[in-house]
Amino acid sequence: MAIAAAASASASTTTLPSSSASRAPSAPVRPSSFFSPSSASSPPQSRLLRARIPLRTPRLSISAAAASMSVRTPERSSPPSSFLDRRESGFLHFVKYHGLGNDFILVDNRDSSEPRVTPEQAAKLCDRNFGIGADGVIFAMPGINGTDYTMRIFNSDGSEPEMCGNGVRCFARFIAELENLSGKQRFTVHTGAGLIVPEIQDDGKVTVDMGEPILKASDVPTKLLPNKDHSVVKYDLKVDGVTWNVTCVSMGNPHCVTFGAKGEQVDKLNLAEIGPKFEHHEMFPARTNTEFVQVFSPSHLKMRVWERGAGATLACGTGACAVVVAAVLEGRAGRSCTVDLPGGPLEIEWREKDNHVYMTGPAEVVFYGSVPI
C-alpha cells in the first residue's frame, strides 16, 4: 500500500535534499542566516536545500476507510523564514561535511574554548540509527598560541583523538564558510597534534601541511622495540596468533601500517574482526589506528583502515599519510603517491626538503541542521 504523507513536528529539523533527488547536491549552500542572525556577515545564498525531516517522530492524525487510507498532519503556524535562524537554548546548529565519506558534524564554537557538547553527547549525535550519524564531532574554536583557530574532535565513541586528516580538510572548508571567504585561503590551526596548516585551493580541494612524521617508537607510542634508528620498521608483530609485518608511524596520532604479501587483496580482509585486535593490542599503550595496504606501483597504493575510536571508516587522512611514510621506509614506494581509500583517492607527498607530509583531497557539505541537546 502506498501512503502519501506530510509530517510536521515541534522538534528540531535537519535540512536534507528534496525528495526529487536521490542524493545531496554536489555543492549545497547553507541559508544565508545559518550562523548568525545578521545576514550582512553571511555568505550569499544559492541553491536551497528544501525538504525538512524531523529528528523526532511527529504526531500524525490518521483516518481510514475500507478502500483507502489518508494521512493528515495537524494544523501548523507559518514557519519562520529559516528554522536555522532560531537561537533558543537547548539546540545545537551544525553542518555535516564529509571527506571521501569520512563524515563529521561541524560546530561553530568560536565564542568559547569549551566544546558545546560533551563526549557522551557527541557519541549520541554520531549514532547512525538514533542520532545525526557521523564518524566524529568537530569544533571550530578560538586560536591559541598565535594560531587562527583551534580544532578539537570527539570520535563516535566519545574519545578525543589528537587530530584528524580528513576532518581538518572539512574544518578548513567550514571556516571559509563561517568567515564568508572564497578562492584560495590558508589558515593556521592548533590541534592536539600541534600546528596544522590547511590551504583551500582554487578548485575547492584542500591541501594540508601535516607536519613531520614522528618515527621514534616511544613517541608514536609503541612498546615494540626499535629496530631501525629508534623506529619500528618491518617488525614482526603477533596478533591473535598470526604474525604481521608492521611499521609504526605517528602523524600526531598513532598508526600501525602493514603491507600484504604481493598480490594479496586488502578488500578480502575481515576488518571488523582483525581491526579491534590491533587497536587494543598491548604494544600500543594509547591504542592505535591500523592501515592494511596493497601496493599497485611505487606511486599507487590502496589501503583500508581501522580507526581508533571510530572503527572501519571510508577514509583516514592521517592514515594515508602514515602509509606513504611507511612505504618509503620499507622501500615499497616513492615520496609522492596516490592512495586509494574506500571513499576515494588522496594525493600524499612526503617532501625531502622540509620533511613535511602534504595531503590533498576534497571536503564536501552534506547538509545543514539543528538538533536538541
Side-chain angles (χ1 to χ4, degrees), residues 37-60:
S38 171
S39 60
S41 61
S42 302
Q45 181 174 349
S46 66
R47 194 165 38 177
L48 189 62
L49 305 180
R50 293 178 294 279
R52 296 177 182 174
I53 300 178
L55 293 178
R56 293 175 180 169
T57 304
R59 292 171 297 177
L60 301 177

Side-chain angles (χ1 to χ4, degrees), residues 11-300:
S12 66
T13 54
T14 299
T15 302
L16 293 172
S18 65
S19 58
S20 62
S22 61
R23 65 182 186 273
S26 58
V29 178
R30 63 175 168 83
S32 62
S33 56
F34 182 84
F35 295 105
S36 75
S38 171
S39 60
S41 61
S42 302
Q45 181 174 349
S46 66
R47 194 165 38 177
L48 189 62
L49 305 180
R50 293 178 294 279
R52 296 177 182 174
I53 300 178
L55 293 178
R56 293 175 180 169
T57 304
R59 292 171 297 177
L60 301 177
S61 173
I62 301 176
S63 64
S68 66
M69 176 179 287
S70 63
V71 181
R72 304 190 307 272
T73 60
E75 293 296 325
R76 66 174 182 176
S77 57
S78 299
S81 58
S82 169
F83 79 94
L84 298 171
D85 286 334
R86 298 182 304 181
R87 287 295 179 269
E88 60 267 64
S89 62
F91 278 81
L92 178 75
H93 298 282
F94 67 89
V95 184
K96 184 172 176 179
Y97 278 79
H98 80 89
L100 298 179
N102 197 190
D103 53 346
F104 305 95
I105 299 162
L106 276 290
V107 177
D108 182 5
N109 213 118
R110 291 173 298 166
D111 59 351
S112 172
S113 338
E114 288 298 319
R116 291 193 59 195
V117 299
T118 66
E120 294 75 20
Q121 288 174 316
K124 291 179 180 179
L125 292 172
C126 290
D127 190 290
R128 297 189 183 278
N129 294 307
F130 299 100
I132 298 165
D135 291 321
V137 180
I138 294 176
F139 306 91
M141 295 177 157
I144 61 175
N145 299 328
T147 59
D148 298 321
Y149 304 96
T150 294
M151 169 180 150
R152 286 183 65 183
I153 175 172
F154 292 150
N155 283 325
S156 58
D157 69 351
S159 62
E160 182 172 4
E162 296 83 356
M163 73 90 78
C164 172
N166 285 314
V168 79
R169 295 200 316 276
C170 295
F171 181 93
R173 291 291 299 270
F174 183 55
I175 289 296
E177 190 168 14
L178 289 174
E179 304 287 5
N180 195 17
L181 303 173
S182 59
K184 204 165 186 175
Q185 302 292 335
R186 185 173 183 270
F187 314 108
T188 56
V189 182
H190 174 78
T191 73
L195 176 66
I196 300 294
V197 185
E199 184 176 278
I200 302 173
Q201 305 300 320
D202 290 329
D203 62 1
K205 289 186 178 180
V206 182
T207 296
V208 185
D209 178 353
M210 301 288 286
E212 298 186 59
I214 299 167
L215 303 176
K216 187 177 178 181
S218 59
D219 293 339
V220 170
T222 178
K223 293 180 181 179
L224 295 174
L225 297 177
N227 60 356
K228 183 179 179 180
D229 300 328
H230 305 291
S231 305
V232 173
V233 179
K234 297 181 74 173
Y235 194 103
D236 286 343
L237 174 67
K238 188 167 285 189
V239 180
D240 198 31
V242 178
T243 299
W244 299 73
N245 198 254
V246 304
T247 292
C248 297
V249 177
S250 172
M251 293 303 306
N253 55 355
H255 293 269
C256 176
V257 181
T258 181
F259 294 85
K262 188 174 181 179
E264 187 176 349
Q265 297 181 10
V266 294
D267 289 337
K268 294 183 178 180
L269 279 171
N270 186 341
L271 204 58
E273 180 182 347
I274 191 61
K277 294 172 182 176
F278 272 90
E279 178 183 357
H280 298 281
H281 198 284
E282 61 183 357
M283 290 293 104
F284 303 106
R287 298 189 291 164
T288 190
N289 303 281
T290 309
E291 288 77 33
F292 302 88
V293 190
Q294 183 176 349
V295 179
F296 293 132
S297 76
S299 61
H300 188 190

